[in-house]
Amino acid sequence: MADISDAFSSRFRTTAYAPIRAGSTPAVTDGDDGSWLNDVQEDQHHHRNGSGSGYGGFTEHTEKLVPQQPLVSNEAPWLPGILRHVPWLGFVALWTSVSMMAVTAAILATSNRSPVTDWSIQPTVYLAVSTAICNFALQLAFCHGVTISWWYKALQGGTIADLHHYWSFGNGFASIFTAGRSFNKIAFAAICVALAVIDGPLLQRASTIVSRDVTIPIILNTSIAQQLPKGYTSLMLGRIDEPVVLTAPFAQVIKHYNARNPIRAGIQGCNGSCTATVPAAGFSINCSAPTGSPIDYSPILSKNSQGSVGPNTQPIFTTNLTWSSGYGLTFAKSRSPEQVILTVGYSNTTSCSGTFFTTTCTLTEAVVEYQVSLVNETVSLNNPTTNLTVVALGNSTSDVVGGYDAGQNVTLGGFSLAGNDLFGANASQSFVGAAGLFQLNNLNTFASQYIVDFEFVENCQYSWKDPTDDILLALHEIMFRTAISAASVSAFSIINTPQGNLSFPTNTTISARQTSTQNVYSSHFEFLWGALAVMALSIASVLPTFTGWWHLGRPMTLSPIETAKAFNAPILTTERPHSNVEVSQLIRELGTRQVKYGEATAATSTSSMDRSLDGGLTPRRGVSVRRLEMGSPDEVTMPKKGAIFDI
């Protein structure tokens, strides 16, 4: 035995050994003729046949050890550092998630109060796409964070259970519920990332469709005369130097006015409700301030011109419109302006005496600006005052047109004729007897509308409201209707002004504001804030998982091949590739190796293992071992149903 030991020691004292499998051929170092190998293999043969030479311990040991050549140096050194292995893909994924938060907010801000017709694709579709990208990028960043945390934990050291929890929390949500004291930053980040999907339902409720009034600028087309054609409204007959009959076109205008027919011509292009300023033929109005004079309605009788005693008659409410363009036939061709003169009188008493007010307004033709409202293409005037803005005076002024002769048409005379029929009044009051009775004379429908107090008894206390503004507004409307009616007579109007002749086209365009009821998107930002909070929490939970990347010496993954290499799995324990290669190189060099998972055979079944006190395994001679492992296809077989394995 001593000789054998000395021979073994002298042969192996300077030789490196490595474990081999039975049946494999060990390597021989330089300077060794390999003769010892024949002795070892022969001894193994005797041991297997039960005819060893008495040094079976040596035989058992030499079955595990062979001389090995020195390892070559690594060509890929371990190089940690902040900038060497930055997880760019993970950070880009986090940046993408943050960007999608901004995109989501921009979509809701842009679409808020925007018409539905302006969006070919609904904002909710864009929101769904942005949240899907955000959540996908968040999952991608979390996967990178799990990989970094797992390897960093392995570098710091810990139990196998710690590494398992880092992996399981990052790859399955169920294990987190039973984590207990093993709960860590990976588990927290996994919960936050899993809950990030609620940003989708929140954002789907953040944009709805509602109806509201929307005002936009538009252009309208108008066809309105800027000046009435000469003699358009009335006609003189016989030897009377004033208009006595309406022309046919103007009679139709008055008919439509009396019937309150809507104005549906003259302005086109409004879809909804519009407001605009429209230039057209109108009146330049000059009114005097009301002047008051004392009046007494006391119950007295007065003598008439023949000396007879009669009732004391006094005016209480009067309105009158007259046409003027010269002073009789003698001056019919004078250059006086054609005018309509409105005279209004009304009383205001507290007893039988008081004040009688008189107002006179002169109306001449002009181009004025009407404030109009339209519903679709139905026009109504919306003038705030009776004094409209005058663009230019019309050609019926004395500086341009002479007077009228009998038998001629009159431009403005129709307004006095129709106005007296519509607004004329000559109401008065009389005392009619010793019984103290008062009598109202010529009280028509128009005058009755302006009585202040209808609870009067038979006395002389009457007060009336001023009808001037109502009459002028009515005349404006009649003139506006007339301008629309006269639009077909001429294409434009030439008006002589101090600045020269100005042309006012009948057909033109004007600016307007259109208000219409539209379906618009309404953003509910409270849901946006909730979704952004969920996204931000998820991103913030993933960031700590990147801690320690600067300690890693190479780009790492959680590929089972790379982790098996790190655990020094025998099937991957080779001289090349070495232990610090990236998984891509590992696959390039070992990717063609055939592997199979199953029950081990051959060398692994020639010995059994005993568990030591510290939990490790030690070989036990003479007993076959059955185990499951990943090995070469010719060394493992398919496990049979019900098979029990030793280790």
Side-chain angles (χ1 to χ4, degrees):
M1 288 292 293
D3 296 336
I4 296 175
S5 301
D6 292 342
F8 183 85
S9 300
S10 62
R11 189 174 296 273
F12 298 119
R13 68 171 56 97
T14 60
T15 306
Y17 300 94
I20 63 171
R21 293 184 179 274
S24 61
T25 303
V28 180
T29 58
D30 295 337
D32 192 352
D33 59 6
S35 60
W36 62 274
L37 185 58
N38 296 328
D39 298 336
V40 172
Q41 291 176 338
E42 181 180 357
D43 181 72
Q44 289 176 342
H45 175 74
H46 291 308
H47 176 72
R48 293 190 184 99
N49 295 327
S51 58
S53 58
Y55 50 92
F58 171 75
T59 304
E60 180 71 13
H61 182 69
T62 56
E63 188 179 59
K64 303 294 182 181
L65 300 174
V66 297
Q68 179 176 321
Q69 293 180 347
L71 296 176
V72 296
S73 61
N74 283 335
E75 63 265 22
W78 180 265
L79 296 174
I82 292 179
L83 299 179
R84 288 186 180 274
H85 306 296
V86 177
W88 291 114
L89 186 57
F91 281 124
V92 168
L94 287 176
W95 179 85
T96 301
S97 296
V98 174
S99 299
M100 289 302 102
M101 292 173 62
V103 169
T104 298
I107 292 172
L108 287 174
T110 303
S111 64
N112 190 34
R113 298 185 178 182
S114 176
V116 172
T117 54
D118 290 353
W119 294 73
S120 58
I121 300 176
Q122 294 182 356
T124 50
V125 176
Y126 291 112
L127 292 174
V129 172
S130 64
T131 53
I133 294 174
C134 178
N135 294 340
F136 173 79
L138 195 59
Q139 288 282 355
L140 180 61
F142 176 64
C143 290
H144 279 267
V146 171
T147 300
I148 294 170
S149 295
W150 193 92
W151 285 103
Y152 183 51
K153 179 62 178 177
L155 283 176
Q156 289 180 311
T159 65
I160 290 179
D162 292 336
L163 296 179
H164 170 73
H165 291 318
Y166 270 66
W167 170 83
S168 64
F169 294 159
N171 290 272
F173 196 67
S175 61
I176 298 175
F177 291 110
T178 58
R181 299 178 63 181
S182 299
F183 191 88
N184 55 28
K185 63 182 180 181
I186 300 296
F188 177 73
I191 293 174
C192 293
V193 171
L195 293 178
V197 296
I198 68 176
D199 57 4
L202 287 174
L203 290 175
Q204 289 302 305
R205 296 192 62 186
S207 180
T208 58
I209 297 176
V210 298
S211 296
R212 73 176 185 92
D213 291 337
V214 178
T215 301
I216 58 174
I218 62 170
I219 299 299
L220 299 178
N221 298 313
T222 63
S223 179
I224 305 176
Q226 306 297 296
Q227 177 177 267
L228 298 185
K230 183 177 179 181
Y232 189 76
T233 67
S234 60
L235 181 67
M236 291 181 176
L237 294 177
R239 299 184 60 83
I240 302 175
D241 60 346
E242 60 184 28
V244 294
V245 65
L246 302 182
T247 61
F250 190 66
Q252 287 297 313
V253 171
I254 298 302
K255 177 181 178 180
H256 291 309
Y257 173 81
N258 285 332
R260 305 310 300 154
N261 291 337
I263 304 172
R264 292 198 177 97
I267 305 177
Q268 297 82 35
C270 178
N271 298 313
S273 177
C274 302
T275 57
T277 299
V278 181
F283 288 115
S284 172
I285 300 175
N286 182 21
C287 292
S288 65
T291 58
S293 58
I295 195 166
D296 189 0
Y297 300 107
S298 299
I300 60 173
L301 297 176
S302 61
K303 292 182 179 181
N304 58 23
S305 59
Q306 287 76 28
S308 301
V309 177
N312 180 25
T313 301
Q314 299 278 9
I316 54 175
F317 186 88
T318 60
T319 56
N320 181 55
L321 287 96
T322 58
W323 172 82
S324 172
S325 181
Y327 301 93
L329 292 176
T330 305
F331 305 100
K333 295 184 179 181
S334 67
R335 304 184 69 83
S336 300
E338 183 177 359
Q339 300 173 337
V340 175
I341 300 173
L342 170 64
T343 304
V344 174
Y346 57 94
S347 65
N348 185 358
T349 62
T350 56
S351 60
C352 286
S353 61
T355 305
F356 189 83
F357 293 96
T358 302
T359 300
T360 301
C361 297
T362 302
L363 289 69
T364 55
E365 188 182 7
V367 179
V368 300
E369 292 180 339
Y370 293 91
Q371 304 299 319
V372 302
S373 298
L374 298 92
V375 177
N376 295 325
E377 293 185 355
T378 300
V379 185
S380 59
L381 297 183
N382 190 30
N383 297 309
T385 65
T386 58
N387 290 317
L388 305 185
T389 301
V390 175
V391 178
L393 294 177
N395 283 344
S396 62
T397 59
S398 59
D399 294 334
V400 179
V401 178
Y404 290 85
D405 292 329
Q408 289 186 344
N409 286 12
V410 178
T411 305
L412 300 183
F415 290 94
S416 64
L417 289 174
N420 279 325
D421 290 337
L422 295 171
F423 318 117
N426 188 23
S428 61
Q429 177 181 272
S430 303
F431 178 70
V432 293
L437 297 177
F438 290 88
Q439 177 177 296
L440 296 179
N441 307 308
N442 302 321
L443 186 61
N444 61 8
T445 302
F446 180 76
S448 298
Q449 300 176 45
Y450 294 92
I451 298 175
V452 174
D453 185 6
F454 283 90
E455 298 298 328
F456 59 85
V457 189
E458 296 174 347
N459 56 38
C460 56
Q461 297 181 19
Y462 294 102
S463 292
W464 306 77
K465 292 180 291 187
D466 186 358
T468 304
D469 287 347
D470 291 344
I471 296 173
L472 294 178
L473 289 174
L475 291 174
H476 281 311
E477 181 181 342
I478 295 173
M479 175 59 92
F480 185 77
R481 289 173 177 267
T482 307
I484 294 176
S485 172
S488 60
V489 176
S490 61
F492 58 89
S493 302
I494 301 295
I495 299 178
N496 191 331
T497 69
Q499 290 76 29
N501 292 336
L502 298 181
S503 176
F504 293 88
T506 298
N507 300 310
T508 185
T509 58
I510 59 173
S511 298
R513 301 283 295 177
Q514 176 177 284
T515 301
S516 58
T517 300
Q518 293 181 333
N519 289 333
V520 298
Y521 291 107
S522 177
S523 297
H524 304 281
F525 291 100
E526 63 274 15
F527 292 106
L528 171 65
W529 307 139
L532 292 181
V534 171
M535 295 177 182
L537 177 63
S538 301
I539 293 172
S541 69
V542 171
L543 273 174
T545 65
F546 285 72
T547 301
W549 91 75
W550 50 87
H551 292 293
L552 305 183
R554 72 173 187 276
M556 293 177 169
T557 69
L558 285 182
S559 165
I561 306 302
E562 186 170 5
T563 54
K565 179 75 172 176
F567 276 105
N568 201 28
I571 197 171
L572 298 177
T573 304
T574 59
E575 186 175 302
R576 292 186 58 84
H578 50 74
S579 60
N580 192 37
V581 296
E582 297 182 27
V583 67
S584 58
Q585 183 179 347
L586 192 64
I587 297 302
R588 282 196 302 271
E589 299 196 21
L590 299 179
T592 58
R593 180 175 295 183
Q594 298 291 324
V595 294
K596 182 178 180 180
Y597 183 71
E599 182 178 341
T601 60
T604 58
S605 62
T606 60
S607 64
S608 183
M609 307 294 285
D610 286 329
R611 189 169 297 279
S612 62
L613 294 178
D614 62 357
L617 296 176
T618 58
R620 176 160 42 89
R621 290 177 293 173
V623 180
S624 297
V625 176
R626 302 174 65 186
R627 60 177 295 170
L628 290 172
E629 68 175 33
M630 190 79 73
S632 176
D634 58 357
E635 295 181 354
V636 298
T637 60
M638 178 71 70
K640 296 180 180 179
K641 182 178 180 180
I644 299 176
F645 306 99
D646 298 311
I647 58 174

